Amino acid sequence: MNANPSQPHPAEWTETQDLLPSVERDLPAGRSQFHKEHMMAQIHEDLRGSRTPAPQRQRNPFLRRVILVPAAAFAVAGAVVAGLALSGGNGDGGRTAVATGPALTTQIGAVDTKGAPQLLDRISLAAADTSGPTARDGQYIYIASKVASTHSRTVDDKTTIVSKELHSRQVWMSTDGKDGWLIEAGEEDITLAGSTPLTGAYDSLVKLPTDPDVLLKQIYKESDAVRDPEVPRDQAAFVAIGDLLNESYPPADVAVALYKAAAKIPGVVAVDDAVDALGRHGVAIARQNDTDGQRTEWIFDKKTLQLLGDRTVQVKAEKDGEFKPGTVLFTSAITQRAVVDANKQVPGKAS
């Protein structure tokens, strides 16, 4: 995985003009992430107090995803809550990411049900040839991305369907997982601090087993401990691996093991075309949650097989009809990964 992928212009979503407009609910990252995010968001709103009138509040999905981390790195929601403190201000120079229009939509890529093992094998080889990070005690893993989502907003008992514009997201996490910072446009900056190791900590990633069978068994065990009963365990394991790949920075040997472990999960498929949040087309490794008809896609450059980002797409109509096929619930694009010497230090600049 390259630490500095190219950054083309943001996606304009013009490719989807023939799709019907979609109706959504407040579920930007998929049902498998909803319950934990909802709890964390409610705590966030409670801490904000009365600054925003209750009827006008909109759920704040400040957690990009639920990250299910194996073994020592894993922290249940209560432990994470204990380590969160909110700071005032906006980390994007006052610019906010606002709800700008109807649901984001996309063309749904064709699925190859037998192509995933071969594609993941090629992705593993590419990852093995990429030097992973070497972080020292006291350093921080820095990850920058662009994200967008579709969700519902309720004002005075009236619910409308909106999309949150493409905006920046920056995460810093200390190697031991005890300190960090999150800046996302349109949200309050969030301090990640506490005595309990946070999810995705580098020190824990480097200790993960590199035997794919052992690693997958461990991932199943940890994801089973926290997953929503409505989410199939294979889907929860797939999402857990994707979270580690997208918003952590695993060393090359661990990344290879994660890809090989993913190949062993039933239902994982290859997708011929997928688009990240910056409009970059690639191939994808994906898995559909048959419970809600949503497909989680990890998107890779077609030539280099570098990880570009991920997205969640509605591919089958739901029973309640809230989302139509082609709705993009969440989309991201990784723009930079690096090791820095201090919290909130941007690569190439002094803290």
Side-chain angles (χ1 to χ4, degrees):
M1 291 179 289
N2 194 316
N4 295 285
S6 59
Q7 302 181 40
H9 294 292
E12 296 179 350
W13 306 98
T14 56
E15 65 172 303
T16 62
Q17 59 186 355
D18 294 332
L19 291 175
L20 293 174
S22 300
V23 180
E24 63 167 26
R25 65 177 179 275
D26 192 5
L27 198 61
R31 202 172 262 128
S32 59
Q33 288 80 41
F34 172 67
H35 291 282
K36 186 175 177 183
E37 286 196 359
H38 181 76
M39 179 196 70
M40 299 293 287
Q42 185 59 57
I43 291 171
H44 177 70
E45 292 293 346
D46 291 343
L47 290 172
R48 291 177 65 181
S50 59
R51 285 177 290 174
T52 304
Q56 297 182 13
R57 288 183 185 174
Q58 174 182 333
R59 187 176 71 84
N60 175 14
F62 65 85
L63 291 181
R64 176 182 174 274
R65 292 181 156 275
V66 169
I67 302 177
L68 308 176
V69 181
F74 182 73
V76 296
V80 177
V81 171
L84 288 180
L86 301 182
S87 70
N90 184 280
D92 200 45
R95 183 178 67 83
T96 60
V98 297
T100 57
L104 303 173
T105 57
T106 188
Q107 299 287 356
I108 299 174
V111 167
D112 181 354
T113 58
K114 298 181 180 180
Q118 182 180 7
L119 178 56
L120 279 165
D121 187 56
R122 292 170 54 211
I123 291 170
S124 299
L125 290 173
D129 290 337
T130 303
S131 297
T134 301
R136 305 186 307 273
D137 289 345
Q139 290 188 308
Y140 289 74
I141 300 298
Y142 169 81
I143 299 174
S145 60
K146 295 287 187 178
V147 299
S149 62
T150 300
H151 55 90
S152 62
R153 180 175 61 185
T154 301
V155 178
D156 296 330
D157 296 326
K158 181 180 179 181
T159 300
T160 56
I161 307 306
V162 293
S163 59
K164 191 171 183 181
E165 67 179 5
L166 188 72
H167 60 281
S168 63
R169 176 181 171 91
Q170 295 173 290
V171 176
W172 291 262
M173 185 176 290
S174 62
T175 56
D176 62 6
K178 295 182 179 180
D179 187 28
W181 196 261
L182 184 151
I183 296 175
E184 184 166 350
E187 311 293 350
E188 292 184 76
D189 298 351
I190 298 172
T191 300
L192 305 174
S195 59
T196 302
L198 301 179
T199 57
Y202 178 83
D203 289 352
S204 296
L205 287 175
V206 298
K207 296 176 183 177
L208 291 179
T210 54
D211 181 305
D213 291 307
V214 176
L215 177 57
L216 184 59
K217 183 178 180 180
Q218 196 165 328
I219 289 171
Y220 271 118
K221 179 180 178 180
E222 298 298 342
S223 60
D224 282 346
V226 297
R227 68 182 174 90
D228 188 309
E230 294 182 8
V231 179
R233 68 190 306 263
D234 291 333
Q235 185 71 13
F238 183 79
V239 170
I241 293 174
D243 291 341
L244 291 175
L245 292 168
N246 276 276
E247 203 161 63
S248 296
Y249 199 174
D253 60 341
V254 176
V256 169
L258 288 168
Y259 289 128
K260 290 184 176 181
K264 297 176 179 292
I265 298 176
V268 173
V269 299
V271 179
D272 68 343
D273 184 66
V275 187
D276 74 2
L278 289 176
R280 299 177 295 192
H281 285 258
V283 293
I285 291 296
R287 193 182 189 285
Q288 179 177 312
N289 181 356
D290 291 330
T291 302
D292 56 19
Q294 296 169 10
R295 189 166 76 195
T296 300
E297 300 178 342
W298 309 339
I299 305 169
F300 299 86
D301 183 274
K302 292 182 179 180
K303 293 182 179 180
T304 67
L305 297 179
Q306 171 190 302
L307 180 63
L308 300 178
D310 69 335
R311 68 179 184 177
T312 301
V313 179
Q314 191 75 40
V315 296
K316 290 181 63 179
E318 294 185 286
K319 294 179 181 179
D320 55 18
E322 290 187 301
F323 288 103
K324 288 186 171 63
T327 303
V328 178
L329 291 91
F330 175 84
T331 180
S332 77
I334 301 166
T335 56
Q336 191 173 25
R337 299 179 195 256
V339 177
V340 295
D341 294 326
N343 200 1
K344 294 185 283 185
Q345 178 182 348
V346 177
K349 298 182 180 180
S351 61

